[in-house]
Amino acid sequence: MYSSAELTSCVHLIVNTEKELQEVGLVSITCECLGGGRIRHDPDLKTLHVYGYSMGFGRAKHSETVKKLQTHYPDYTVTWSNAGY
């Protein structure tokens, strides 16, 4: 479970990234949050499990998240489900 401070920090990051990039001169870059969720990481078992959704942004396309994680963690088992919050 996340504290309200952690959630506030995450929302701040998402909402302000585009503005901050524009302020440093990267005006052609835009950001769009496509959804949210959680990742459960077990380093001992080398597993990552993507699940859940964001109350504010809805559910991300977890299958796409898994593809990206598999690229960066080729020695991990990466799974996903739509279950949970």
Side-chain angles (χ1 to χ4, degrees):
M1 194 60 122
Y2 297 97
S3 71
S4 61
E6 289 170 318
L7 291 174
T8 301
S9 178
C10 291
V11 170
H12 171 80
L13 174 67
I14 293 166
V15 170
N16 291 298
T17 299
E18 183 175 357
K19 178 183 167 205
E20 291 170 3
L21 289 171
Q22 290 173 349
E23 287 174 358
V24 297
L26 298 173
V27 292
S28 64
I29 295 176
T30 59
C31 299
E32 178 183 358
C33 182
L34 301 176
R38 292 171 174 65
I39 300 173
R40 184 173 50 238
H41 177 218
D42 187 326
D44 295 327
L45 295 176
K46 290 193 169 189
T47 61
L48 294 164
H49 181 67
V50 182
Y51 66 100
Y53 61 95
S54 163
M55 293 290 281
F57 297 103
R59 187 179 319 280
K61 191 181 267 187
H62 296 329
S63 59
E64 293 299 317
T65 304
V66 166
K67 288 178 190 176
K68 293 179 185 322
L69 288 169
Q70 287 171 328
T71 299
H72 293 284
Y73 298 92
D75 55 337
Y76 271 63
T77 299
V78 186
T79 59
W80 68 275
S81 78
N82 283 328
Y85 162 70

